[in-house]
Amino acid sequence: MLNAEQVIATNKANLNNLFSLTNQAFAGVEKLVELNLTAARAAMSESADHAKAVLSVKDAQELLALQAGLIQPLAEKSAAYSRHIYDIASSTSADLSKAIEAKATESQQAVLGYIDAALKNAPAGSESAVAFFKQAVTASNNAVESVQKAVKQATDLAETNLQAVTDTAVKATKTATKKR
């Protein structure tokens, strides 16, 4: 049976976990804001430099060469920016997942402890029902672990595919720029 102290302690722990998860999420948002500010500053500076270069162009061919010279660096910067966003999102997601998994494991252990305590007080003759209940809880825990493994595999595959697409796009841009 649960008593008032256990309920209060559980509520405090849950509140602390909520604040911890919220802080982790905000840390990810802060990283994204910082990345966007840095990218915006760099883009403004590069735009000013480009505008000055365009104003100093003497003929159309020089203008075309200047424009063509911007394509590859722009593609590389776009790919790097996308990769940074993905890394921040992936890192934040992984941190949150670890925290949630740890709490889920802790909660599973607590539930199993409560079940064991309750089942010790089960009336005689209910052994088969107790065994069935324990088996159902174990099967549920195994299903959760399987889903977590599948999500991890899918995330790893998505990350690998994103890296391959990014590399291919940068190579294609380099090839197209060289042909000009």
Side-chain angles (χ1 to χ4, degrees):
M1 285 288 203
L2 289 175
N3 59 35
E5 289 92 24
Q6 289 173 321
V7 171
I8 290 170
T10 300
N11 286 337
K12 283 182 180 179
N14 287 338
L15 189 60
N16 287 337
N17 287 330
L18 175 65
F19 286 131
S20 174
L21 292 173
T22 302
N23 284 333
Q24 287 177 341
F26 274 113
V29 170
E30 285 175 345
K31 289 176 186 176
L32 285 174
V33 168
E34 183 179 326
L35 174 65
N36 286 328
L37 286 173
T38 302
R41 282 188 193 112
M44 243 175 27
S45 174
E46 290 167 7
S47 293
D49 292 344
H50 182 66
K52 289 175 188 175
V54 167
L55 291 173
S56 68
V57 168
K58 298 192 182 14
D59 60 20
Q61 191 169 358
E62 190 178 342
L63 178 62
L64 289 174
L66 179 66
Q67 294 296 81
L70 291 175
I71 293 172
Q72 182 180 345
L74 182 60
E76 290 173 354
K77 288 175 187 172
S78 295
Y81 176 77
S82 296
R83 184 70 187 159
H84 282 299
I85 288 176
Y86 179 79
D87 288 344
I88 291 169
S90 179
S91 170
T92 302
S93 175
D95 290 345
L96 290 172
S97 293
K98 286 178 189 174
I100 290 170
E101 286 176 22
K103 184 59 182 167
T105 300
E106 183 182 310
S107 296
Q108 287 173 350
Q109 294 303 319
V111 167
L112 289 175
Y114 293 139
I115 290 171
D116 283 341
L119 295 179
K120 286 179 184 174
N121 298 323
S126 62
E127 290 81 14
S128 61
V130 167
F132 176 77
F133 190 72
K134 282 186 173 182
Q135 186 178 20
V137 170
T138 301
S140 171
N141 289 342
N142 290 340
V144 168
E145 288 175 13
S146 295
V147 168
Q148 288 172 341
K149 286 178 185 176
V151 167
K152 172 98 171 87
Q153 289 173 344
T155 302
D156 291 345
L157 180 61
E159 184 173 347
T160 301
N161 288 340
L162 177 66
Q163 185 62 45
V165 167
T166 301
D167 291 346
T168 302
V170 169
K171 286 177 186 174
T173 304
K174 285 180 182 178
T175 302
T177 303
K178 287 179 184 176
K179 289 181 180 178
R180 288 188 174 218

